Structure formats: C-alpha cells, structure tokens
C-alpha cells in the first residue's frame, strides 16, 4: 500500500467510525494470543517459499465402490482387492498388518502408535508398521488434539513433541517416514498459517539432526465445529476448511462427512466432491505455497511458528510429551483451553493466554 493511499484509507475509516483513534476498535483479541493488525503495509521478514512433499495435493475419499473410477486416493478402513494405480491411506492397524505392498503401490499409514491414555508408545505396532514397505509408515495424529479443543500453537508444539519422542526411540530416519494428521478448523487464514508454521518449525527441528526435512501433512476437516442438526452450515464450514488446507500446502486433504454421525452414500459423495470443486475450479491444490506473499498470513505464520516452537521447548525442558501426558499436564492445559474457548464465545473471559502454557 503506497504512502499516499494510506492516509486516505485511515481518514475514511476514522470518518466511518467517528473517532480519531481507530486502532483500539479494530485490533481485536483472539483465542491464539496472536497480534493481528487492522491492515498491513509490509511484513517484518518475508518467509521463503514453503514446499510440500507431494507435487499436488491428494484429494482423498473414504473408500466406496461407487467412487472407484473417479477417485485416485482413498482412506481404507477395511481390505479392498485389486485397487490399482491408487494412493491408499490405511486407517486400520489390523488391516495394515496384513498388507504387503507391491513396488508400484502407494500406501500411507494413518495409524498413530501413541497411547494417549497411558502416555506410552506401542513399540510392537510401531516396529510392525516400520517393517512395511509403505511410502510413510507412522501417523502422528494431531487431529484428535484439535477436535479436543487445543489452540493452534498447542497443536504445533504437541506435533513436534510427539515427533521428538519417536526420534528418541527409533532414530532420526523416522522423520521421513511420518504422516502428520491435522484437523483444520474454521479460522480461515489462521489455519492456512498453522500448516505453514508447522512446515517451518518441523524443518527447524530436523536441522537439529542434520536433515532438511519437509513434513507430510494429511489435513482433514474439523469435527469440533460441526453440528448434527445444521447440515448446510457444516458444508460451508468444511468447504472453507478444505480451502485453507490446500492453500496452506497440505499434501493430502480429506473431508469428514458433513452429516456427522448420520453418514449415507450420498453424503459421502457430496463431502468428497467439495474437494473436486475447489481443486478443479480454482486449481489451488497444485500451488506449492499459494499464500506466500500475503502480509497478513505471513505475519500470523511467523507468530504461530514462534509460539509453537516455544511451547515445544518448554515441554522438552519439563520432560517431554509422554512425561507430561503421564503427569496429566497436557490434559489439564487442553481442558483449560476448552474452557477459555467457551467463555470467549460468551464474552466472559479476559484471562492472560500465557497461563495455559505448561
């Protein structure tokens, strides 16, 4: 924005709001504790282009025989014979144990080896998955934290914390064998920034071990903001979430059924075709880093990356993710975040966000 336009813009806003001091009115708090300006004329430090693993984002459907001819990537909950030239995301640990991929097969695991209740890693399951000739063998599931109410910076810190636990057990080579499963919520630009911020801090984390790794991100629509009796709104919300994921640089996207717990064949097809409309009408799934250069998204990305990394460091200094899980610290902070979310929606809470950092 040029210098001669800026004063004119400010004067127009001052006139509309009938005040000389527009910033207290336009700068609003948010649940993430991120500083958001009413407008941007520059960014502190432009970010490099943030790559993804896949050349274009996989559009993923839950397997149904009616979709077999038109869909190239499926989530598999049960065995399906003779699926050729497909990308398959295995979502069942018993199924994973029986699959022996051929050289031309593209199998990815969506199976998390963490036991969140006990604060342990299922070593037998992890070793079994690692023995498979999958493209990516183990899933780090952060969708469950988003759906449980975690703030974005908490999701980022926890994702790194879980990755660090796996590195300590199985070695640094595992970083290139992971799928990070993330749920994308309704805060459109923040969710774009979330995926971009994770690319930054994961890459920074990998450099601690001499690597220059890029995370594989499987992004799915959130369950947290969907209502059983609000089908049309569910569709609108999930469409925006899918757009955030594609623009943010997800390697694969998946749409949870908009009917929530009343899934039908028709609703499964409609849910998937949201992806088709976005991808084929706007081709946002082929860009490597579509939001690069947006001052707003760049600034939010940087702040989320800083907060996510800081939380990860604090978790490590306190003993690591599994230890904090056993102590109940992770659960306590997620519950506190949920309470804050509910209170902020009612306008009742003004608590300092920093109190929820372990």
């Amino acid at each position: 924005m040029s210098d001669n336009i800026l004063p004119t813009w400010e004067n127009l806003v001052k006139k509309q709001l009938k005040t000389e001091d527009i910033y207290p009115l336009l700068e609003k708090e948010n649940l993430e504790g991120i500083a958001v300006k009413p407008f941007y004329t520059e960014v502190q430090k432009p970010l490099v282009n943030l790559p993804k693993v896949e050349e274009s984002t996989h559009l993923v459907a839950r397997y149904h025989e009616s979709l077999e001819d038109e869909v190239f990537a499926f989530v598999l909950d049960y065995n399906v014979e003779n699926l050729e030239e497909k990308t398959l995301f295995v979502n069942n640990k018993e199924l994973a144990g029986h699959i022996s991929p051929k050289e031309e097969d593209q199998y990815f695991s969506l199976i998390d080896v963490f036991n969140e209740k006990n604060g342990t890693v299922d070593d037998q399951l992890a070793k079994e998955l690692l023995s498979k000739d999958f493209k990516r063998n183990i899933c780090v599931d952060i969708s469950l934290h988003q759906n449980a109410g975690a703030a974005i910076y908490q999701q980022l810190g926890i994702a790194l914390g879980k990755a660090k636990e796996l590195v300590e057990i199985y070695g640094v080579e595992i970083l290139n064998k992971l799928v990070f499963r993330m749920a994308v919520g309704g805060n459109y630009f923040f969710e774009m920034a979330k995926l971009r911020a994770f690319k930054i801090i994961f890459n920074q984390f990998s450099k601690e071990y001499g690597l220059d790794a890029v995370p594989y991100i499987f992004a799915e629509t959130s369950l947290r903001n969907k209502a059983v009796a609000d089908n049309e709104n569910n569709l609108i919300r999930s469409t925006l979430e899918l757009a955030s994921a594609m623009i943010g640089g997800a390697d694969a996207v998946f749409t949870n059924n908009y009917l929530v717990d009343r899934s039908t064949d028709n609703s499964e097809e409609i849910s998937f075709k949201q992806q088709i409309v976005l991808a084929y009408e706007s081709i946002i799934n082929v860009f490597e880093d579509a939001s690069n250069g947006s001052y707003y998204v760049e600034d939010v990305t940087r702040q989320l990356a800083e907060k996510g990394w800081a939380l990860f460091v604090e978790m490590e200094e306190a003993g690591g993710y599994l230890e904090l899980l056993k102590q109940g610290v992770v659960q306590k902070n997620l519950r506190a975040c949920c309470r804050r979310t509910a209170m902020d929606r009612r306008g009742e809470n003004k608590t300092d966000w920093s109190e929820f950092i372990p």
Side-chain angles (χ1 to χ4, degrees):
M1 188 177 293
S2 64
D3 292 339
N4 62 330
I5 295 176
L6 178 57
T8 302
W9 187 94
E10 283 187 321
N11 288 334
L12 285 171
V13 174
K14 289 176 182 178
K15 183 178 179 180
Q16 288 292 323
L17 297 179
K18 299 178 181 179
T19 178
E20 287 294 313
D21 192 7
I22 63 175
Y23 295 97
L25 294 175
L26 297 177
E27 292 178 347
K28 301 294 184 182
E29 292 183 8
N30 55 72
L31 294 173
E32 305 298 335
I34 297 298
V36 177
K37 301 176 184 178
F39 64 92
Y40 292 80
T41 59
E42 61 181 357
V43 67
Q44 279 187 7
K45 184 181 179 182
L47 300 175
V48 298
N49 204 47
L50 300 172
K52 55 187 180 183
V53 177
E54 300 287 359
E55 185 175 345
S56 60
T57 304
H58 286 301
L59 310 179
V60 186
R62 193 174 302 281
Y63 177 79
H64 192 280
E65 59 183 9
S66 66
L67 298 174
E68 195 168 315
D69 291 335
E70 58 183 306
V71 177
F72 298 99
F74 286 114
V75 167
L76 286 185
D77 295 303
Y78 54 89
N79 190 37
V80 180
E81 299 289 344
N82 302 318
L83 279 180
E84 297 178 356
E85 298 182 2
K86 305 289 185 183
T87 296
L88 303 170
F89 294 87
V90 182
N91 199 35
N92 180 308
K93 65 182 181 181
E94 282 75 24
L95 173 61
H98 293 92
I99 288 176
S100 298
K102 300 175 183 176
E103 187 174 340
E104 65 273 17
D105 290 340
Q106 279 216 107
Y107 279 92
F108 294 81
S109 172
L110 291 182
I111 301 163
D112 194 344
V113 297
F114 285 83
N115 186 320
E116 301 290 335
K117 291 184 178 179
N118 300 331
T120 59
V121 170
D122 188 333
D123 183 58
Q124 181 178 349
L125 175 60
K127 287 178 178 176
E128 184 177 337
L129 290 171
L130 288 169
S131 71
K132 297 291 182 180
D133 191 21
F134 287 3
K135 293 291 183 182
R136 298 265 169 161
N137 302 71
I138 289 177
C139 175
V140 176
D141 192 353
I142 310 302
S143 68
L144 58 93
H145 299 86
Q146 196 277 346
N147 287 318
I152 288 176
Y153 79 90
Q154 289 177 317
Q155 296 168 51
L156 299 177
I158 288 171
L160 276 194
K162 294 179 81 169
K164 176 71 183 307
E165 298 285 0
L166 293 174
V167 168
E168 290 185 351
I169 300 171
Y170 303 106
V172 68
E173 298 80 12
I174 201 170
L175 290 181
N176 289 315
K177 299 178 181 180
L178 301 178
V179 172
F180 289 90
R181 184 174 191 169
M182 294 185 163
V184 177
N187 197 336
Y188 188 64
F189 293 107
F190 273 45
E191 293 292 340
M192 286 179 207
K194 175 174 79 177
L195 302 191
R196 300 178 80 246
F198 185 63
K199 291 172 187 278
I200 293 171
I201 62 175
F202 179 84
N203 183 255
Q204 181 178 340
F205 172 68
S206 76
K207 286 180 177 176
E208 300 289 329
Y209 297 95
L211 300 180
D212 189 23
V214 177
Y216 192 104
I217 299 176
F218 179 98
E220 63 183 64
T221 56
S222 176
L223 301 174
R224 181 167 148 187
N225 60 358
K226 305 303 185 296
V228 173
D230 209 355
N231 302 337
E232 290 77 13
N233 274 344
N234 289 346
L235 274 172
I236 293 169
R237 289 169 180 165
S238 57
T239 299
L240 292 172
E241 290 160 6
L242 288 168
S244 289
M246 292 184 192
I247 295 170
D251 294 288
V253 292
F254 174 73
T255 319
N256 282 303
N257 197 291
Y258 75 97
L259 291 184
V260 192
D261 59 353
R262 296 176 292 114
S263 174
T264 66
D265 289 350
N266 189 49
S267 67
E268 288 283 356
E269 184 174 355
I270 291 172
S271 296
F272 171 70
K273 286 187 174 177
Q274 291 176 267
Q275 302 174 29
I276 296 292
V277 171
L278 284 169
Y280 292 178
E281 296 296 329
S282 64
I283 62 169
I284 56 175
N285 64 316
V286 304
F287 293 105
E288 187 169 79
D289 190 4
S291 56
N292 188 296
S294 164
Y295 292 158
Y296 173 40
V297 176
E298 293 273 281
D299 190 55
V300 174
T301 298
R302 177 187 56 78
Q303 291 186 67
L304 287 174
E306 290 173 355
K307 292 192 70 168
W309 182 265
L311 179 58
F312 165 65
V313 170
E314 289 188 31
M315 290 172 66
E316 288 303 302
E317 290 175 348
Y321 177 72
L322 289 177
E323 180 59 30
L324 291 173
L325 205 58
K326 291 173 184 175
Q327 294 176 13
V329 174
V330 174
Q331 299 90 320
K332 176 184 175 183
N333 282 274
L334 290 181
R335 284 195 295 270
C337 187
C338 288
R339 286 197 300 271
R340 178 180 168 85
T341 301
M343 293 173 73
D344 270 29
R345 284 174 178 167
R346 297 193 299 266
E348 298 173 4
N349 195 37
K350 299 297 179 184
T351 308
D352 182 2
W353 188 247
S354 63
E355 71 177 87
F356 300 117
I357 299 177

